[in-house]
């Protein structure tokens, strides 16, 4: 989360993290990135002067919290893959948009498959809406492309570098599918 002074807080999804971590919401259904970022804001910061920057559009719960906190703007890369039936304002307008949609959602769905299994209903629903993304997420899981950098404490840039040769073809396939259906 940022304002005119810069970054005032950050958060990441900790729903699937083990209990007892640094966030009080950790390992609960409330531990979404936006909720953790809002909870981490210091009392002196006026939330109405802030903006949220996120990988995915806020889910209904996070949207309600953002509205309640009177945060005026939200920026995101991709629609929320946990709710593929809910239309969002994100519309692909070029390859870079497709690439970041694929990255954001494949990394998220990879973690879902890793923690709760590849037969999770969220993955099944996304197979219909974003087949390239789910295929990539499951392939990254099978190859442990993201798991090893995470275990070693390396950043997302290292994980992304290891996955890039798979991300670009998935983004191109997504763009082709969308252009044929549109």
């Amino acid at each position: 989360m940022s304002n005119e002074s810069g970054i005032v807080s950050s958060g990441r999804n900790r729903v699937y993290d083990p209990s007892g971590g640094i966030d009080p919401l950790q390992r609960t259904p409330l531990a979404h990135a936006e909720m953790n970022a809002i909870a981490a804001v210091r009392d002196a910061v006026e939330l109405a002067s802030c903006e949220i920057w996120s990988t995915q559009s806020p889910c209904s719960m996070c949207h309600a919290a953002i509205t309640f906190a009177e945060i005026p703007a939200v920026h995101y890369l991709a629609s929320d893959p946990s709710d593929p039936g809910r239309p969002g304002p994100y519309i692909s307008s070029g390859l870079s948009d497709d690439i970041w949609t694929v990255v954001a959602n494949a990394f998220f769905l990879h973690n879902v498959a890793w923690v709760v299994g590849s037969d999770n209903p969220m993955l099944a629903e996304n197979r219909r809406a974003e087949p390239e993304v789910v295929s990539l997420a499951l392939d990254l899981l099978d190859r442990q492309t993201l798991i090893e950098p995470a275990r070693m404490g390396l950043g997302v840039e290292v994980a992304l570098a290891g996955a890039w040769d798979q991300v670009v073809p998935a983004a191109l396939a997504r763009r082709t599918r969308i252009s044929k259906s549109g």
Side-chain angles (χ1 to χ4, degrees):
M1 184 174 320
S2 68
N3 65 15
E4 63 279 347
S5 301
I7 297 172
V8 297
S9 73
S10 64
R12 72 170 182 82
N13 188 311
R14 294 189 180 276
V15 170
Y16 302 109
D17 286 6
S19 298
I22 62 172
D23 284 312
L25 299 175
Q26 194 160 319
R27 190 69 176 172
T28 73
L30 302 176
H32 292 195
E34 295 87 350
M35 300 293 279
N36 287 321
I38 292 168
V41 173
R42 295 236 157 52
D43 290 338
V45 175
E46 176 61 43
L47 290 175
S49 71
C50 294
E51 298 179 327
I52 294 224
W53 295 81
S54 184
T55 51
Q56 278 110 14
S57 60
C59 69
S60 299
M61 173 184 68
C62 293
H63 179 75
I66 291 165
T67 301
F68 181 80
E70 298 180 350
I71 298 168
V74 177
H75 309 273
Y76 57 90
L77 294 173
S79 294
D80 177 11
S82 67
D83 193 1
R86 183 183 64 149
Y90 181 84
I91 298 171
S92 177
S93 61
L95 180 59
S96 64
D97 293 334
D98 291 317
I99 287 173
W100 295 117
T101 296
V102 168
V103 167
N105 290 343
F107 277 39
F108 176 79
L109 293 171
H110 168 278
N111 287 344
V112 171
W114 183 22
V115 175
V116 295
S118 60
D119 59 344
N120 184 276
M122 186 185 308
L123 289 157
E125 183 65 30
N126 274 275
R127 277 187 186 97
R128 288 188 283 282
E130 295 282 351
E132 305 85 4
V133 174
V134 174
S135 178
L136 174 62
L138 295 176
D139 191 50
L140 293 172
L141 181 61
D142 287 345
R143 295 177 187 221
Q144 297 197 355
T145 305
L146 306 180
I147 295 170
E148 288 310 309
R151 284 187 178 141
M152 295 169 61
L154 303 174
V156 70
E157 61 277 359
V158 173
L160 184 55
W164 198 252
D165 63 329
Q166 295 171 267
V167 168
V168 173
L172 289 170
R174 179 181 190 274
R175 176 190 273 179
T176 300
R177 176 181 51 81
I178 290 171
S179 68
K180 286 180 181 175
S181 66

